[in-house]
Structures are given as C-alpha cells and as structure tokens.
Amino acid sequence: METPHLVYFGQTPDQGTGSPVILLRHLRRLAAGGWHIELVTENGQSDALAEKWPIHHLSLRKPWWPPFRAGNRFLRSLRMRLWAGECAQFFPEPPQAIVSYLSLYSELHSEVAAHYARHCGAPLTLIIHDYPPDFPGVDPRQAAATLRRSEWILKQAHQLWFVSPELADQYDVPASKKHVLPPIPEGVAERAQWKAETTRPLIVYAGFAYPAQMPLFARLARVIAAAGGRLLILSRPTPELRAICEAEPVEHRDLFPTNREALDFITRNASAVLVSYSERVEEMPWTRTSFPSKFVEFSQTGLPALLVAPRETALGQWAARNAYPDFYAPERIENASAFVEALKTERGWAGKSANSTHFAETEFNPAVIQSAFEAGLR
C-alpha cells in the first residue's frame, strides 16, 4: 500500500501553548499511523524537531522575482503563484493532503497552502482557533484585510475545522463546510484519584493569567477560602499576579518547562481544576469565540473542573448546550462554595469527577478527535 503523504504549512509545530502544539499532536498521530509528513514552515524558526520530519522554507527573494508587498494585491497574488510553483518543486508528486491553520498573527502560510492546493489539486484541510478582530491591538483596517484574505482561503479548503460553533459563525463560508473540532489534548498516563488526606481542597488554575482576570480571581479566591479550599495559580509571574497574591488568599507557582510536567503536578496535587475568564466578556472579547484548550486538556486528568465565565463566551455556550453542572457565571460565583464542599468527601469528589470525565471519554477523547480529523483529509 502506498504511504500517504501530507504537507503542513505554518509555524513550526512544537511544544508549548496555542495552535502549534495542537498541530504537533495531530501530526504525530498521523505519523504513527503511517503517514509521511513534510513541513513548509516560517523562516527564522528552529528546525530542531525531535520527529526529524523534512522541513522546507519558502524563498524570500530570487533575482528574477518581483518584490513582495503584503498590501499590494497584484504583487501579493504574483508572489503566491511563484511560491505555489516553488512548492511544486519541493514535492514533484502532489501529496494526498495539505494541512494548515489560520494563525492569529499571519495568514500568509495558509494563503500559500491554498494557492498550492489549487496548483496541484490536493485537498486542503484548515484548522481555525481564533478570530483576529477580537484581540486587542489589531488595527481595524488590517483586520478587515486579514478577514478578506482569510475568507478566500477558507473557500479554497476541502475541510474546515473550527474550535467552536461561535467561531464558525464569524466566517462567510457554506454551512456544509463548518465543522467543529476541539483542540486535541496530550492526555495523561493515569487519571487522578481521590486524595483521602485532603483537608483543604486545592483548586488549580494553569495558564497565562491576564490582568483582566484578576478581579474575578480575587472574588473566587475568597469564595474558595470561605468554603475551606485553596486557590493556586500556575502561571508566569506578573506584577498583577504578585499584587493579588499579597492582597487575597491566592497561591502562586511558576510554569513548568513542559505541559507534561504541569499535568503531572496537577494530577498529583490538585483536588480540582479551574477554567476561568474575566467578569465581563468585553474585557476579553476573544472568549466569545475561542474555546479553552486547557479545559479539554484538564478533563483527561479525571479531576473535577470548575468553569467560571460569562454566559456569552464560547465556554458558557458550551456549558449551556451540555447542561454542565459545574459552570458558574461571574454573578453566581458565591454558589461555587457548594463545589468546594463536595471535594471534601470521596463520594462528592467522585460525582464532580464524573462530570468532567464523561467528556474526556467522549467529545474530548483524543482518539475521537483524531479520527474525525483524519477521516476527511483525503
């Protein structure tokens, strides 16, 4: 049987956070299943991948090529055709599949992937995790141009995977192409167990802590402490985080070098995990459409998961659709004391654990996510 060949376009898949690690997990599973993987990655990035997949870089300039001007439609279109031709030289035989993702910061490699897919006739699969206009600091004119290009790219794709239905609704593409795919988790070797020695349940938030989250963290910490629990924020230190630790019953620990180490620490030490945003969606507008990969990841541990976010967020909408019992809107967080109380007994903890474990075994199961992703590649 012929070995299927896949070409990936975009930022180098690597450990860490965001879309690159999600793509790394998908590609690793494809490679383990017999796919031959090659990459066309951004210039200036490290080529030191443990997988040793072949890496190609697009030429920045050749003597006979006209200059590239990102904002000039004619020069941009011409350069895309030249890059598509260069990719045809990288891969004399068209691959069975092309994969890319729409980056928050640049759609350039996805655009090249779309032009190459048209050039060689191979099907293009795109993953979309974010809606750029919702992020702070984006120039409105630049955002409008990015959206125009993004929608053209999406219309060239054979398969589209959005991280949430709310994100899919932001783009003008046929409904038949709008599919939802949770961010694939790394998974854990063993699930967490009830800790009989627990007297003050430890609830852990892990990931970047934005300044806009601090007021809600403070309120949550007081609710958790009053119910006999502890809140630990596992994040890089910031002035805002140091201030809240001094003023409120909040503990802090710096990030671990790898996701695996963080998951192992949480599984061994925590009674539950916290997935939380800001008090108002306007303070973190991207939460309307972005779905938190940390919730998908944490569900694999088997730990109870406390979700706190405005109802209008993609997380809030997901909780409503699934009748998730441990979701609290900011105006109701005083009621989260019942969640903390439940963690103090084995029966209560097991019930809360079942709420998150159900999704780890179904919708957030990495094997299920990968199977859906792979099924439509060709």
Side-chain angles (χ1 to χ4, degrees):
M1 181 182 294
E2 180 186 3
T3 299
H5 179 204
L6 180 146
V7 177
Y8 161 81
F9 286 76
Q11 186 176 344
T12 302
D14 204 355
Q15 292 291 348
T17 59
S19 299
V21 70
I22 302 301
L23 269 298
L24 177 64
R25 292 167 185 168
H26 280 301
L27 295 178
R28 278 178 170 172
R29 286 173 176 264
L30 288 171
W35 285 73
H36 172 62
I37 310 294
E38 294 194 64
L39 314 178
V40 179
T41 65
E42 298 177 6
N43 288 280
Q45 291 191 311
S46 171
D47 291 347
L49 267 178
E51 284 73 16
K52 304 301 181 185
W53 296 321
I55 294 178
H56 308 270
H57 295 296
L58 300 171
S59 298
L60 295 178
R61 185 75 186 270
K62 290 185 178 181
W64 58 93
W65 283 10
F68 174 66
R69 300 285 184 268
N72 183 299
R73 288 191 178 187
F74 173 76
L75 291 176
R76 187 181 185 106
S77 176
L78 183 56
R79 179 58 65 90
M80 289 297 161
R81 291 198 293 272
L82 290 169
W83 275 331
E86 185 173 45
C87 291
Q89 294 175 0
F90 294 157
F91 316 112
E93 293 294 326
Q96 278 69 44
I98 300 171
V99 170
S100 187
Y101 75 95
L102 277 182
S103 169
L104 171 63
Y105 304 103
S106 172
E107 76 287 353
L108 186 121
H109 270 68
S110 294
E111 191 174 357
V112 176
H115 279 271
Y116 173 58
R118 285 168 60 102
H119 181 93
C120 71
L124 169 64
T125 291
L126 286 173
I127 289 179
I128 308 95
H129 287 154
D130 301 298
Y131 187 59
D134 280 343
F135 284 79
V138 177
D139 179 84
R141 289 174 298 179
Q142 180 183 347
T146 298
L147 279 180
R148 284 196 301 270
R149 285 193 289 266
S150 295
E151 289 185 345
W152 180 88
I153 295 166
L154 293 175
K155 288 174 181 176
Q156 314 312 308
H158 162 75
Q159 178 172 242
L160 300 176
W161 291 114
F162 295 91
V163 78
S164 71
E166 293 75 21
L167 181 59
D169 287 344
Q170 298 299 309
Y171 290 96
D172 181 22
V173 292
S176 60
K177 281 191 173 185
K178 293 181 177 181
H179 306 290
V180 175
L181 190 74
I184 189 168
E186 184 170 339
V188 294
E190 295 183 8
R191 292 254 169 92
Q193 303 296 318
W194 159 248
K195 300 171 180 62
E197 71 281 5
T198 299
T199 56
R200 295 183 62 210
L202 179 66
I203 300 175
V204 177
Y205 171 93
F208 191 84
Y210 291 88
Q213 292 175 272
M214 299 303 156
L216 189 52
F217 279 148
R219 291 176 57 205
L220 270 169
R222 292 193 288 270
V223 170
I224 291 169
R230 300 155 53 207
L231 174 62
L232 170 68
I233 297 179
L234 186 64
S235 183
R236 69 174 180 85
T238 64
E240 295 85 1
L241 187 52
R242 283 192 288 269
I244 197 175
C245 289
E246 292 174 0
E248 304 288 351
V250 176
E251 302 172 31
H252 171 253
R253 180 168 183 142
D254 205 347
L255 290 172
F256 286 88
T258 66
N259 294 341
R260 172 62 67 186
E261 290 173 88
L263 280 171
D264 288 345
F265 170 83
I266 292 168
T267 303
R268 289 194 311 269
N269 295 281
S271 294
V273 294
L274 168 67
V275 180
S276 176
Y277 287 140
S278 54
E279 293 183 320
R280 298 184 304 111
V281 73
E282 292 79 9
E283 296 166 326
M284 297 174 69
W286 61 91
T287 61
R288 293 184 192 274
T289 56
S290 294
F291 193 82
S293 60
K294 61 169 63 73
F295 177 37
V296 181
E297 194 75 71
F298 291 157
S299 72
Q300 308 302 305
T301 68
L303 287 166
L306 173 62
L307 312 184
V308 182
R311 301 177 196 276
E312 315 93 283
T313 62
L315 180 62
Q317 295 297 307
W318 177 92
R321 287 193 299 271
N322 290 278
Y324 187 78
D326 298 322
F327 171 84
Y328 295 88
E331 63 270 18
R332 293 183 56 245
I333 60 169
E334 285 72 18
N335 297 336
S337 59
F339 177 88
V340 182
E341 290 290 346
L343 304 178
K344 297 178 183 178
T345 67
E346 183 173 5
R347 181 177 180 181
W349 183 91
K352 296 302 181 186
S353 171
N355 293 337
S356 55
T357 302
H358 165 74
F359 294 100
E361 295 174 347
T362 54
E363 183 179 350
F364 298 157
N365 184 326
V368 171
I369 295 171
Q370 181 69 13
S371 177
F373 175 74
E374 186 171 353
L377 285 178
R378 293 190 277 181

